[in-house]
mmCIF file with all atom_site columns, all heavy atoms in Angstrom:
data_model
loop_
_atom_site.group_PDB
_atom_site.id
_atom_site.type_symbol
_atom_site.label_atom_id
_atom_site.label_alt_id
_atom_site.label_comp_id
_atom_site.label_asym_id
_atom_site.label_entity_id
_atom_site.label_seq_id
_atom_site.pdbx_PDB_ins_code
_atom_site.Cartn_x
_atom_site.Cartn_y
_atom_site.Cartn_z
_atom_site.occupancy
_atom_site.B_iso_or_equiv
_atom_site.pdbx_formal_charge
_atom_site.auth_seq_id
_atom_site.auth_comp_id
_atom_site.auth_asym_id
_atom_site.auth_atom_id
_atom_site.pdbx_PDB_model_num
ATOM 1   N N   . GLY K 1 1  ? -20.991 140.358 88.385 1.00 95.00 ? 1  GLY K N   1
ATOM 2   C CA  . GLY K 1 1  ? -20.718 140.110 86.965 1.00 95.00 ? 1  GLY K CA  1
ATOM 3   C C   . GLY K 1 1  ? -19.905 141.140 86.223 1.00 95.00 ? 1  GLY K C   1
ATOM 4   O O   . GLY K 1 1  ? -19.769 141.048 85.005 1.00 95.00 ? 1  GLY K O   1
ATOM 5   N N   . GLY K 1 2  ? -19.398 142.186 86.894 1.00 96.00 ? 2  GLY K N   1
ATOM 6   C CA  . GLY K 1 2  ? -18.551 143.132 86.205 1.00 96.00 ? 2  GLY K CA  1
ATOM 7   C C   . GLY K 1 2  ? -19.333 144.300 85.619 1.00 96.00 ? 2  GLY K C   1
ATOM 8   O O   . GLY K 1 2  ? -20.415 144.676 86.096 1.00 96.00 ? 2  GLY K O   1
ATOM 9   N N   . TYR K 1 3  ? -18.813 144.870 84.532 1.00 97.00 ? 3  TYR K N   1
ATOM 10  C CA  . TYR K 1 3  ? -19.331 146.129 84.001 1.00 97.00 ? 3  TYR K CA  1
ATOM 11  C C   . TYR K 1 3  ? -19.595 146.045 82.494 1.00 97.00 ? 3  TYR K C   1
ATOM 12  O O   . TYR K 1 3  ? -18.875 145.369 81.769 1.00 97.00 ? 3  TYR K O   1
ATOM 13  C CB  . TYR K 1 3  ? -18.330 147.257 84.298 1.00 97.00 ? 3  TYR K CB  1
ATOM 14  C CG  . TYR K 1 3  ? -17.994 147.355 85.759 1.00 97.00 ? 3  TYR K CG  1
ATOM 15  C CD1 . TYR K 1 3  ? -16.922 146.630 86.306 1.00 97.00 ? 3  TYR K CD1 1
ATOM 16  C CD2 . TYR K 1 3  ? -18.762 148.140 86.601 1.00 97.00 ? 3  TYR K CD2 1
ATOM 17  C CE1 . TYR K 1 3  ? -16.640 146.701 87.644 1.00 97.00 ? 3  TYR K CE1 1
ATOM 18  C CE2 . TYR K 1 3  ? -18.500 148.213 87.963 1.00 97.00 ? 3  TYR K CE2 1
ATOM 19  C CZ  . TYR K 1 3  ? -17.413 147.494 88.479 1.00 97.00 ? 3  TYR K CZ  1
ATOM 20  O OH  . TYR K 1 3  ? -17.144 147.554 89.833 1.00 97.00 ? 3  TYR K OH  1
ATOM 21  N N   . ALA K 1 4  ? -20.643 146.729 82.081 1.00 96.00 ? 4  ALA K N   1
ATOM 22  C CA  . ALA K 1 4  ? -20.982 146.794 80.657 1.00 96.00 ? 4  ALA K CA  1
ATOM 23  C C   . ALA K 1 4  ? -21.862 148.028 80.456 1.00 96.00 ? 4  ALA K C   1
ATOM 24  O O   . ALA K 1 4  ? -22.184 148.755 81.403 1.00 96.00 ? 4  ALA K O   1
ATOM 25  C CB  . ALA K 1 4  ? -21.716 145.535 80.195 1.00 96.00 ? 4  ALA K CB  1
ATOM 26  N N   . TRP K 1 5  ? -22.226 148.277 79.194 1.00 96.00 ? 5  TRP K N   1
ATOM 27  C CA  . TRP K 1 5  ? -23.145 149.383 78.880 1.00 96.00 ? 5  TRP K CA  1
ATOM 28  C C   . TRP K 1 5  ? -24.174 148.860 77.883 1.00 96.00 ? 5  TRP K C   1
ATOM 29  O O   . TRP K 1 5  ? -24.213 149.271 76.755 1.00 96.00 ? 5  TRP K O   1
ATOM 30  C CB  . TRP K 1 5  ? -22.394 150.590 78.330 1.00 96.00 ? 5  TRP K CB  1
ATOM 31  C CG  . TRP K 1 5  ? -23.198 151.855 78.437 1.00 96.00 ? 5  TRP K CG  1
ATOM 32  C CD1 . TRP K 1 5  ? -24.093 152.338 77.512 1.00 96.00 ? 5  TRP K CD1 1
ATOM 33  C CD2 . TRP K 1 5  ? -23.192 152.801 79.507 1.00 96.00 ? 5  TRP K CD2 1
ATOM 34  N NE1 . TRP K 1 5  ? -24.639 153.516 77.966 1.00 96.00 ? 5  TRP K NE1 1
ATOM 35  C CE2 . TRP K 1 5  ? -24.106 153.833 79.194 1.00 96.00 ? 5  TRP K CE2 1
ATOM 36  C CE3 . TRP K 1 5  ? -22.491 152.863 80.724 1.00 96.00 ? 5  TRP K CE3 1
ATOM 37  C CZ2 . TRP K 1 5  ? -24.340 154.921 80.036 1.00 96.00 ? 5  TRP K CZ2 1
ATOM 38  C CZ3 . TRP K 1 5  ? -22.734 153.946 81.565 1.00 96.00 ? 5  TRP K CZ3 1
ATOM 39  C CH2 . TRP K 1 5  ? -23.646 154.956 81.216 1.00 96.00 ? 5  TRP K CH2 1
ATOM 40  N N   . ASP K 1 6  ? -25.019 147.931 78.367 1.00 95.00 ? 6  ASP K N   1
ATOM 41  C CA  . ASP K 1 6  ? -25.943 147.252 77.465 1.00 95.00 ? 6  ASP K CA  1
ATOM 42  C C   . ASP K 1 6  ? -27.326 147.097 78.078 1.00 95.00 ? 6  ASP K C   1
ATOM 43  O O   . ASP K 1 6  ? -28.147 146.309 77.587 1.00 95.00 ? 6  ASP K O   1
ATOM 44  C CB  . ASP K 1 6  ? -25.391 145.877 77.119 1.00 95.00 ? 6  ASP K CB  1
ATOM 45  C CG  . ASP K 1 6  ? -25.062 145.003 78.326 1.00 95.00 ? 6  ASP K CG  1
ATOM 46  O OD1 . ASP K 1 6  ? -25.371 145.452 79.466 1.00 95.00 ? 6  ASP K OD1 1
ATOM 47  O OD2 . ASP K 1 6  ? -24.510 143.907 78.147 1.00 95.00 ? 6  ASP K OD2 1
ATOM 48  N N   . GLY K 1 7  ? -27.625 147.828 79.148 1.00 94.00 ? 7  GLY K N   1
ATOM 49  C CA  . GLY K 1 7  ? -28.921 147.751 79.768 1.00 94.00 ? 7  GLY K CA  1
ATOM 50  C C   . GLY K 1 7  ? -29.062 146.595 80.753 1.00 94.00 ? 7  GLY K C   1
ATOM 51  O O   . GLY K 1 7  ? -30.128 146.468 81.370 1.00 94.00 ? 7  GLY K O   1
ATOM 52  N N   . SER K 1 8  ? -28.020 145.793 80.911 1.00 95.00 ? 8  SER K N   1
ATOM 53  C CA  . SER K 1 8  ? -28.075 144.658 81.811 1.00 95.00 ? 8  SER K CA  1
ATOM 54  C C   . SER K 1 8  ? -27.686 145.082 83.224 1.00 95.00 ? 8  SER K C   1
ATOM 55  O O   . SER K 1 8  ? -27.401 146.246 83.498 1.00 95.00 ? 8  SER K O   1
ATOM 56  C CB  . SER K 1 8  ? -27.131 143.562 81.319 1.00 95.00 ? 8  SER K CB  1
ATOM 57  O OG  . SER K 1 8  ? -25.775 143.995 81.421 1.00 95.00 ? 8  SER K OG  1
ATOM 58  N N   . GLY K 1 9  ? -27.653 144.081 84.133 1.00 94.00 ? 9  GLY K N   1
ATOM 59  C CA  . GLY K 1 9  ? -27.231 144.360 85.471 1.00 94.00 ? 9  GLY K CA  1
ATOM 60  C C   . GLY K 1 9  ? -25.805 144.859 85.546 1.00 94.00 ? 9  GLY K C   1
ATOM 61  O O   . GLY K 1 9  ? -25.436 145.592 86.482 1.00 94.00 ? 9  GLY K O   1
ATOM 62  N N   . GLN K 1 10 ? -24.986 144.484 84.537 1.00 96.00 ? 10 GLN K N   1
ATOM 63  C CA  . GLN K 1 10 ? -23.612 144.966 84.497 1.00 96.00 ? 10 GLN K CA  1
ATOM 64  C C   . GLN K 1 10 ? -23.554 146.487 84.264 1.00 96.00 ? 10 GLN K C   1
ATOM 65  O O   . GLN K 1 10 ? -22.638 147.154 84.734 1.00 96.00 ? 10 GLN K O   1
ATOM 66  C CB  . GLN K 1 10 ? -22.815 144.251 83.414 1.00 96.00 ? 10 GLN K CB  1
ATOM 67  C CG  . GLN K 1 10 ? -22.415 142.819 83.753 1.00 96.00 ? 10 GLN K CG  1
ATOM 68  C CD  . GLN K 1 10 ? -23.600 141.857 83.765 1.00 96.00 ? 10 GLN K CD  1
ATOM 69  O OE1 . GLN K 1 10 ? -24.500 141.987 82.925 1.00 96.00 ? 10 GLN K OE1 1
ATOM 70  N NE2 . GLN K 1 10 ? -23.611 140.929 84.697 1.00 96.00 ? 10 GLN K NE2 1
ATOM 71  N N   . GLU K 1 11 ? -24.559 147.032 83.573 1.00 97.00 ? 11 GLU K N   1
ATOM 72  C CA  . GLU K 1 11 ? -24.583 148.486 83.427 1.00 97.00 ? 11 GLU K CA  1
ATOM 73  C C   . GLU K 1 11 ? -24.960 149.157 84.736 1.00 97.00 ? 11 GLU K C   1
ATOM 74  O O   . GLU K 1 11 ? -24.409 150.213 85.074 1.00 97.00 ? 11 GLU K O   1
ATOM 75  C CB  . GLU K 1 11 ? -25.573 148.892 82.331 1.00 97.00 ? 11 GLU K CB  1
ATOM 76  C CG  . GLU K 1 11 ? -25.599 150.404 82.104 1.00 97.00 ? 11 GLU K CG  1
ATOM 77  C CD  . GLU K 1 11 ? -26.440 150.840 80.922 1.00 97.00 ? 11 GLU K CD  1
ATOM 78  O OE1 . GLU K 1 11 ? -26.957 149.961 80.189 1.00 97.00 ? 11 GLU K OE1 1
ATOM 79  O OE2 . GLU K 1 11 ? -26.604 152.061 80.741 1.00 97.00 ? 11 GLU K OE2 1
ATOM 80  N N   . PHE K 1 12 ? -25.870 148.547 85.500 1.00 97.00 ? 12 PHE K N   1
ATOM 81  C CA  . PHE K 1 12 ? -26.184 149.099 86.801 1.00 97.00 ? 12 PHE K CA  1
ATOM 82  C C   . PHE K 1 12 ? -24.932 149.182 87.676 1.00 97.00 ? 12 PHE K C   1
ATOM 83  O O   . PHE K 1 12 ? -24.780 150.136 88.463 1.00 97.00 ? 12 PHE K O   1
ATOM 84  C CB  . PHE K 1 12 ? -27.222 148.249 87.516 1.00 97.00 ? 12 PHE K CB  1
ATOM 85  C CG  . PHE K 1 12 ? -27.460 148.672 88.946 1.00 97.00 ? 12 PHE K CG  1
ATOM 86  C CD1 . PHE K 1 12 ? -28.372 149.683 89.238 1.00 97.00 ? 12 PHE K CD1 1
ATOM 87  C CD2 . PHE K 1 12 ? -26.763 148.094 89.992 1.00 97.00 ? 12 PHE K CD2 1
ATOM 88  C CE1 . PHE K 1 12 ? -28.570 150.095 90.546 1.00 97.00 ? 12 PHE K CE1 1
ATOM 89  C CE2 . PHE K 1 12 ? -26.950 148.500 91.297 1.00 97.00 ? 12 PHE K CE2 1
ATOM 90  C CZ  . PHE K 1 12 ? -27.856 149.502 91.573 1.00 97.00 ? 12 PHE K CZ  1
ATOM 91  N N   . ASN K 1 13 ? -24.029 148.230 87.543 1.00 98.00 ? 13 ASN K N   1
ATOM 92  C CA  . ASN K 1 13 ? -22.834 148.190 88.386 1.00 98.00 ? 13 ASN K CA  1
ATOM 93  C C   . ASN K 1 13 ? -21.952 149.435 88.183 1.00 98.00 ? 13 ASN K C   1
ATOM 94  O O   . ASN K 1 13 ? -21.150 149.759 89.059 1.00 98.00 ? 13 ASN K O   1
ATOM 95  C CB  . ASN K 1 13 ? -22.007 146.940 88.078 1.00 98.00 ? 13 ASN K CB  1
ATOM 96  C CG  . ASN K 1 13 ? -22.730 145.668 88.469 1.00 98.00 ? 13 ASN K CG  1
ATOM 97  O OD1 . ASN K 1 13 ? -23.695 145.688 89.242 1.00 98.00 ? 13 ASN K OD1 1
ATOM 98  N ND2 . ASN K 1 13 ? -22.304 144.544 87.933 1.00 98.00 ? 13 ASN K ND2 1
ATOM 99  N N   . VAL K 1 14 ? -22.109 150.078 87.049 1.00 98.00 ? 14 VAL K N   1
ATOM 100 C CA  . VAL K 1 14 ? -21.341 151.319 86.802 1.00 98.00 ? 14 VAL K CA  1
ATOM 101 C C   . VAL K 1 14 ? -21.781 152.403 87.790 1.00 98.00 ? 14 VAL K C   1
ATOM 102 O O   . VAL K 1 14 ? -20.970 153.258 88.203 1.00 98.00 ? 14 VAL K O   1
ATOM 103 C CB  . VAL K 1 14 ? -21.543 151.794 85.343 1.00 98.00 ? 14 VAL K CB  1
ATOM 104 C CG1 . VAL K 1 14 ? -20.876 153.145 85.119 1.00 98.00 ? 14 VAL K CG1 1
ATOM 105 C CG2 . VAL K 1 14 ? -21.004 150.742 84.368 1.00 98.00 ? 14 VAL K CG2 1
ATOM 106 N N   . HIS K 1 15 ? -23.041 152.370 88.175 1.00 98.00 ? 15 HIS K N   1
ATOM 107 C CA  . HIS K 1 15 ? -23.613 153.435 89.023 1.00 98.00 ? 15 HIS K CA  1
ATOM 108 C C   . HIS K 1 15 ? -22.927 153.532 90.375 1.00 98.00 ? 15 HIS K C   1
ATOM 109 O O   . HIS K 1 15 ? -22.419 154.630 90.727 1.00 98.00 ? 15 HIS K O   1
ATOM 110 C CB  . HIS K 1 15 ? -25.117 153.203 89.182 1.00 98.00 ? 15 HIS K CB  1
ATOM 111 C CG  . HIS K 1 15 ? -25.768 154.102 90.175 1.00 98.00 ? 15 HIS K CG  1
ATOM 112 N ND1 . HIS K 1 15 ? -25.933 155.447 89.985 1.00 98.00 ? 15 HIS K ND1 1
ATOM 113 C CD2 . HIS K 1 15 ? -26.276 153.825 91.423 1.00 98.00 ? 15 HIS K CD2 1
ATOM 114 C CE1 . HIS K 1 15 ? -26.529 155.977 91.039 1.00 98.00 ? 15 HIS K CE1 1
ATOM 115 N NE2 . HIS K 1 15 ? -26.740 155.008 91.919 1.00 98.00 ? 15 HIS K NE2 1
ATOM 116 N N   . PRO K 1 16 ? -22.895 152.485 91.190 1.00 98.00 ? 16 PRO K N   1
ATOM 117 C CA  . PRO K 1 16 ? -22.249 152.659 92.513 1.00 98.00 ? 16 PRO K CA  1
ATOM 118 C C   . PRO K 1 16 ? -20.772 152.984 92.419 1.00 98.00 ? 16 PRO K C   1
ATOM 119 O O   . PRO K 1 16 ? -20.263 153.769 93.213 1.00 98.00 ? 16 PRO K O   1
ATOM 120 C CB  . PRO K 1 16 ? -22.473 151.302 93.209 1.00 98.00 ? 16 PRO K CB  1
ATOM 121 C CG  . PRO K 1 16 ? -22.823 150.356 92.123 1.00 98.00 ? 16 PRO K CG  1
ATOM 122 C CD  . PRO K 1 16 ? -23.481 151.132 91.041 1.00 98.00 ? 16 PRO K CD  1
ATOM 123 N N   . LEU K 1 17 ? -20.081 152.424 91.445 1.00 98.00 ? 17 LEU K N   1
ATOM 124 C CA  . LEU K 1 17 ? -18.648 152.717 91.319 1.00 98.00 ? 17 LEU K CA  1
ATOM 125 C C   . LEU K 1 17 ? -18.417 154.184 90.983 1.00 98.00 ? 17 LEU K C   1
ATOM 126 O O   . LEU K 1 17 ? -17.550 154.842 91.584 1.00 98.00 ? 17 LEU K O   1
ATOM 127 C CB  . LEU K 1 17 ? -18.033 151.811 90.239 1.00 98.00 ? 17 LEU K CB  1
ATOM 128 C CG  . LEU K 1 17 ? -16.526 152.011 90.008 1.00 98.00 ? 17 LEU K CG  1
ATOM 129 C CD1 . LEU K 1 17 ? -15.740 151.711 91.276 1.00 98.00 ? 17 LEU K CD1 1
ATOM 130 C CD2 . LEU K 1 17 ? -16.041 151.136 88.864 1.00 98.00 ? 17 LEU K CD2 1
ATOM 131 N N   . CYS K 1 18 ? -19.188 154.723 90.062 1.00 98.00 ? 18 CYS K N   1
ATOM 132 C CA  . CYS K 1 18 ? -19.028 156.126 89.681 1.00 98.00 ? 18 CYS K CA  1
ATOM 133 C C   . CYS K 1 18 ? -19.414 157.064 90.811 1.00 98.00 ? 18 CYS K C   1
ATOM 134 O O   . CYS K 1 18 ? -18.755 158.092 91.029 1.00 98.00 ? 18 CYS K O   1
ATOM 135 C CB  . CYS K 1 18 ? -19.871 156.427 88.446 1.00 98.00 ? 18 CYS K CB  1
ATOM 136 S SG  . CYS K 1 18 ? -19.179 155.800 86.897 1.00 98.00 ? 18 CYS K SG  1
ATOM 137 N N   . MET K 1 19 ? -20.457 156.725 91.536 1.00 98.00 ? 19 MET K N   1
ATOM 138 C CA  . MET K 1 19 ? -20.907 157.641 92.598 1.00 98.00 ? 19 MET K CA  1
ATOM 139 C C   . MET K 1 19 ? -19.905 157.669 93.744 1.00 98.00 ? 19 MET K C   1
ATOM 140 O O   . MET K 1 19 ? -19.628 158.736 94.321 1.00 98.00 ? 19 MET K O   1
ATOM 141 C CB  . MET K 1 19 ? -22.295 157.248 93.091 1.00 98.00 ? 19 MET K CB  1
ATOM 142 C CG  . MET K 1 19 ? -23.360 157.200 91.994 1.00 98.00 ? 19 MET K CG  1
ATOM 143 S SD  . MET K 1 19 ? -23.288 158.523 90.777 1.00 98.00 ? 19 MET K SD  1
ATOM 144 C CE  . MET K 1 19 ? -23.959 159.891 91.681 1.00 98.00 ? 19 MET K CE  1
ATOM 145 N N   . VAL K 1 20 ? -19.351 156.512 94.108 1.00 98.00 ? 20 VAL K N   1
ATOM 146 C CA  . VAL K 1 20 ? -18.351 156.495 95.182 1.00 98.00 ? 20 VAL K CA  1
ATOM 147 C C   . VAL K 1 20 ? -17.069 157.202 94.727 1.00 98.00 ? 20 VAL K C   1
ATOM 148 O O   . VAL K 1 20 ? -16.467 157.973 95.487 1.00 98.00 ? 20 VAL K O   1
ATOM 149 C CB  . VAL K 1 20 ? -18.042 155.056 95.632 1.00 98.00 ? 20 VAL K CB  1
ATOM 150 C CG1 . VAL K 1 20 ? -16.858 155.003 96.567 1.00 98.00 ? 20 VAL K CG1 1
ATOM 151 C CG2 . VAL K 1 20 ? -19.276 154.448 96.308 1.00 98.00 ? 20 VAL K CG2 1
ATOM 152 N N   . LEU K 1 21 ? -16.663 156.968 93.496 1.00 98.00 ? 21 LEU K N   1
ATOM 153 C CA  . LEU K 1 21 ? -15.461 157.624 92.977 1.00 98.00 ? 21 LEU K CA  1
ATOM 154 C C   . LEU K 1 21 ? -15.676 159.128 92.837 1.00 98.00 ? 21 LEU K C   1
ATOM 155 O O   . LEU K 1 21 ? -14.798 159.921 93.232 1.00 98.00 ? 21 LEU K O   1
ATOM 156 C CB  . LEU K 1 21 ? -15.103 157.028 91.609 1.00 98.00 ? 21 LEU K CB  1
ATOM 157 C CG  . LEU K 1 21 ? -13.928 157.676 90.869 1.00 98.00 ? 21 LEU K CG  1
ATOM 158 C CD1 . LEU K 1 21 ? -12.649 157.625 91.704 1.00 98.00 ? 21 LEU K CD1 1
ATOM 159 C CD2 . LEU K 1 21 ? -13.723 157.006 89.523 1.00 98.00 ? 21 LEU K CD2 1
ATOM 160 N N   . GLY K 1 22 ? -16.829 159.548 92.302 1.00 97.00 ? 22 GLY K N   1
ATOM 161 C CA  . GLY K 1 22 ? -17.046 160.958 92.028 1.00 97.00 ? 22 GLY K CA  1
ATOM 162 C C   . GLY K 1 22 ? -17.504 161.762 93.213 1.00 97.00 ? 22 GLY K C   1
ATOM 163 O O   . GLY K 1 22 ? -16.819 162.691 93.661 1.00 97.00 ? 22 GLY K O   1
ATOM 164 N N   . LEU K 1 23 ? -18.663 161.402 93.768 1.00 97.00 ? 23 LEU K N   1
ATOM 165 C CA  . LEU K 1 23 ? -19.278 162.234 94.798 1.00 97.00 ? 23 LEU K CA  1
ATOM 166 C C   . LEU K 1 23 ? -18.818 161.915 96.212 1.00 97.00 ? 23 LEU K C   1
ATOM 167 O O   . LEU K 1 23 ? -19.326 162.509 97.179 1.00 97.00 ? 23 LEU K O   1
ATOM 168 C CB  . LEU K 1 23 ? -20.795 162.125 94.721 1.00 97.00 ? 23 LEU K CB  1
ATOM 169 C CG  . LEU K 1 23 ? -21.460 162.926 93.593 1.00 97.00 ? 23 LEU K CG  1
ATOM 170 C CD1 . LEU K 1 23 ? -22.968 162.888 93.698 1.00 97.00 ? 23 LEU K CD1 1
ATOM 171 C CD2 . LEU K 1 23 ? -20.990 164.375 93.593 1.00 97.00 ? 23 LEU K CD2 1
ATOM 172 N N   . VAL K 1 24 ? -17.874 160.981 96.358 1.00 98.00 ? 24 VAL K N   1
ATOM 173 C CA  . VAL K 1 24 ? -17.282 160.733 97.658 1.00 98.00 ? 24 VAL K CA  1
ATOM 174 C C   . VAL K 1 24 ? -15.777 160.993 97.627 1.00 98.00 ? 24 VAL K C   1
ATOM 175 O O   . VAL K 1 24 ? -15.269 161.944 98.218 1.00 98.00 ? 24 VAL K O   1
ATOM 176 C CB  . VAL K 1 24 ? -17.580 159.299 98.169 1.00 98.00 ? 24 VAL K CB  1
ATOM 177 C CG1 . VAL K 1 24 ? -16.840 159.040 99.486 1.00 98.00 ? 24 VAL K CG1 1
ATOM 178 C CG2 . VAL K 1 24 ? -19.061 159.098 98.371 1.00 98.00 ? 24 VAL K CG2 1
ATOM 179 N N   . PHE K 1 25 ? -15.037 160.160 96.881 1.00 98.00 ? 25 PHE K N   1
ATOM 180 C CA  . PHE K 1 25 ? -13.569 160.266 96.916 1.00 98.00 ? 25 PHE K CA  1
ATOM 181 C C   . PHE K 1 25 ? -13.053 161.563 96.300 1.00 98.00 ? 25 PHE K C   1
ATOM 182 O O   . PHE K 1 25 ? -12.343 162.331 96.952 1.00 98.00 ? 25 PHE K O   1
ATOM 183 C CB  . PHE K 1 25 ? -12.955 159.051 96.238 1.00 98.00 ? 25 PHE K CB  1
ATOM 184 C CG  . PHE K 1 25 ? -11.445 159.046 96.252 1.00 98.00 ? 25 PHE K CG  1
ATOM 185 C CD1 . PHE K 1 25 ? -10.763 159.176 97.439 1.00 98.00 ? 25 PHE K CD1 1
ATOM 186 C CD2 . PHE K 1 25 ? -10.729 158.915 95.083 1.00 98.00 ? 25 PHE K CD2 1
ATOM 187 C CE1 . PHE K 1 25 ? -9.371  159.189 97.468 1.00 98.00 ? 25 PHE K CE1 1
ATOM 188 C CE2 . PHE K 1 25 ? -9.339  158.926 95.092 1.00 98.00 ? 25 PHE K CE2 1
ATOM 189 C CZ  . PHE K 1 25 ? -8.663  159.066 96.294 1.00 98.00 ? 25 PHE K CZ  1
ATOM 190 N N   . LEU K 1 26 ? -13.412 161.831 95.039 1.00 97.00 ? 26 LEU K N   1
ATOM 191 C CA  . LEU K 1 26 ? -12.926 163.048 94.397 1.00 97.00 ? 26 LEU K CA  1
ATOM 192 C C   . LEU K 1 26 ? -13.497 164.299 95.043 1.00 97.00 ? 26 LEU K C   1
ATOM 193 O O   . LEU K 1 26 ? -12.807 165.313 95.179 1.00 97.00 ? 26 LEU K O   1
ATOM 194 C CB  . LEU K 1 26 ? -13.266 163.031 92.917 1.00 97.00 ? 26 LEU K CB  1
ATOM 195 C CG  . LEU K 1 26 ? -12.457 162.053 92.056 1.00 97.00 ? 26 LEU K CG  1
ATOM 196 C CD1 . LEU K 1 26 ? -12.925 162.096 90.607 1.00 97.00 ? 26 LEU K CD1 1
ATOM 197 C CD2 . LEU K 1 26 ? -10.962 162.353 92.127 1.00 97.00 ? 26 LEU K CD2 1
ATOM 198 N N   . TYR K 1 27 ? -14.741 164.232 95.470 1.00 98.00 ? 27 TYR K N   1
ATOM 199 C CA  . TYR K 1 27 ? -15.347 165.370 96.162 1.00 98.00 ? 27 TYR K CA  1
ATOM 200 C C   . TYR K 1 27 ? -14.614 165.653 97.469 1.00 98.00 ? 27 TYR K C   1
ATOM 201 O O   . TYR K 1 27 ? -14.321 166.806 97.796 1.00 98.00 ? 27 TYR K O   1
ATOM 202 C CB  . TYR K 1 27 ? -16.826 165.083 96.387 1.00 98.00 ? 27 TYR K CB  1
ATOM 203 C CG  . TYR K 1 27 ? -17.613 166.233 96.975 1.00 98.00 ? 27 TYR K CG  1
ATOM 204 C CD1 . TYR K 1 27 ? -17.218 167.547 96.793 1.00 98.00 ? 27 TYR K CD1 1
ATOM 205 C CD2 . TYR K 1 27 ? -18.767 165.987 97.728 1.00 98.00 ? 27 TYR K CD2 1
ATOM 206 C CE1 . TYR K 1 27 ? -17.948 168.595 97.326 1.00 98.00 ? 27 TYR K CE1 1
ATOM 207 C CE2 . TYR K 1 27 ? -19.492 167.040 98.271 1.00 98.00 ? 27 TYR K CE2 1
ATOM 208 C CZ  . TYR K 1 27 ? -19.077 168.326 98.072 1.00 98.00 ? 27 TYR K CZ  1
ATOM 209 O OH  . TYR K 1 27 ? -19.807 169.372 98.599 1.00 98.00 ? 27 TYR K OH  1
#
């Protein structure tokens, strides 16, 4: 369902994207 910042499942989706981008690719 994409991304949001409202406490829904879409906010959870931000988590895996940020962790792969930050602590894997950029790291």
Side-chain angles (χ1 to χ4, degrees):
Y3 305 90
W5 199 272
D6 55 5
S8 67
Q10 285 71 38
E11 182 173 355
F12 172 86
N13 295 343
V14 175
H15 171 70
L17 181 61
C18 284
M19 303 319 284
V20 171
L21 175 59
L23 283 186
V24 175
F25 181 54
L26 288 178
Y27 185 26

